[in-house]
């Protein structure tokens, strides 16, 4: 959601948000979630004044895959078995028809799972669950071996995830930070 600059400071965002929250209440929605760019202080103040509370700090990283001189892992497509998603997963990173889900294996040991998307724009990593965050370069090596030095976006990840620092030490840069916020509508 955004307000065209020439119409800002007229209370339109507040009116829209109040209408949404009212409609959510009529529909019996339990919670409302949103993400906001961290340096958008006016929007954050608005959301806080409407009862939203911060629950996570998120980041976006961008880089090109490269040869990390790591042993690749095996990605095994997950198709009929459900994946237990973290309840705080941003809506943009949820499993959808446009994403692929895979178990990550090395030496017959399951290391975790990944949700990703491959498109003409490159690779987007949406969810990553690893037993050991140091294995991120093994995962990236696998994609590099398959697709080459394509662009890679690591989307909406909790800033506290240790694998992000490893990615930044290996050519990734931070593009943006967001704050994830939540408001209880009905208990």
């Amino acid at each position: 959601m955004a307000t065209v600059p020439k119409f800002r400071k007229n209370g339109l965002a507040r009116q829209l948000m109040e209408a949404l929250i009212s409609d959510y209440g009529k529909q019996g929605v339990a919670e409302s979630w949103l993400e906001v760019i961290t340096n958008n202080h006016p929007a954050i103040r608005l959301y806080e004044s409407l009862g939203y509370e911060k629950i996570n700090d998120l980041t976006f990283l961008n880089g090109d895959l490269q040869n990390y001189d790591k042993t690749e892992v095996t990605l095994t497509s997950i198709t009929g078995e459900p994946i237990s998603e973290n309840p705080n997963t941003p809506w943009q990173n949820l499993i959808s028809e446009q994403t692929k889900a895979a178990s990550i294996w090395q030496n017959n040991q399951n290391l975790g799972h990944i949700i990703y998307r491959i498109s003409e724009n490159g690779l987007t990593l949406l969810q990553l669950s690893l037993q050991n965050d140091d294995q991120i370069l093994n995962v990236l090596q696998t994609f590099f071996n398959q697709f080459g030095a394509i662009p890679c976006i690591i989307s909406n990840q909790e800033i506290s995830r240790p694998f992000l620092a490893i990615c930044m030490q290996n050519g990734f840069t931070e593009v943006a930070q967001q704050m994830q916020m939540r408001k209880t509508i009905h208990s």
Side-chain angles (χ1 to χ4, degrees):
M1 171 179 100
T3 304
V4 176
K6 72 178 185 177
F7 296 110
R8 290 182 183 159
K9 299 187 180 185
N10 292 315
L12 295 174
R14 176 171 296 282
Q15 290 174 32
L16 178 59
M17 289 301 299
E18 287 172 347
L20 285 171
I21 292 167
S22 174
D23 195 45
Y24 293 157
K26 292 172 188 170
Q27 294 180 36
V29 172
E31 289 182 328
S32 172
W33 291 58
L34 59 84
E35 287 84 36
V36 58
I37 300 294
T38 301
N39 64 1
N40 188 346
H41 302 291
I44 292 169
R45 282 192 299 273
L46 169 65
Y47 300 140
E48 288 175 338
S49 75
L50 293 169
Y52 284 84
E53 296 177 353
K54 174 181 158 181
I55 57 169
N56 275 321
D57 288 310
L58 306 170
T59 188
F60 284 78
L61 300 184
N62 193 12
D64 290 330
L65 295 180
Q66 57 183 299
N67 186 351
Y68 303 95
D69 291 322
K70 295 289 182 181
T71 305
E72 69 176 57
V73 295
T74 301
L75 300 178
T76 305
S77 181
I78 300 173
T79 55
E81 56 188 272
I83 294 175
S84 176
E85 291 186 284
N86 178 328
N88 292 340
T89 299
W91 66 270
Q92 304 95 323
N93 291 32
L94 294 173
I95 298 170
S96 72
E97 293 177 8
Q98 292 78 37
T99 60
K100 296 182 181 195
S103 291
I104 303 167
W105 295 86
Q106 193 171 48
N107 301 325
N108 294 320
Q109 181 182 5
N110 184 288
L111 305 179
H113 73 269
I114 186 170
I115 308 299
Y116 65 98
R117 180 174 39 248
I118 293 284
S119 70
E120 64 277 356
N121 298 324
L123 170 67
T124 303
L125 300 183
L126 300 165
Q127 294 181 42
L128 184 63
S129 172
L130 288 170
Q131 290 179 6
N132 180 347
D133 282 281
D134 290 341
Q135 297 159 328
I136 183 62
L137 295 180
N138 300 82
V139 173
L140 295 177
Q141 183 72 51
T142 301
F143 286 109
F144 173 80
N145 291 351
Q146 185 173 358
F147 299 106
I150 62 172
C152 178
I153 295 171
I154 301 175
S155 172
N156 266 341
Q157 299 298 309
E158 291 181 32
I159 286 176
S160 61
R161 299 286 308 272
F163 80 84
L164 296 170
I166 296 168
C167 291
M168 291 180 76
Q169 293 164 1
N170 286 277
F172 283 79
T173 57
E174 187 174 68
V175 177
Q177 285 188 9
Q178 290 197 114
M179 180 186 301
Q180 188 177 39
M181 301 180 84
R182 172 175 53 203
K183 173 184 176 64
T184 300
I185 307 293
H186 280 291
S187 321

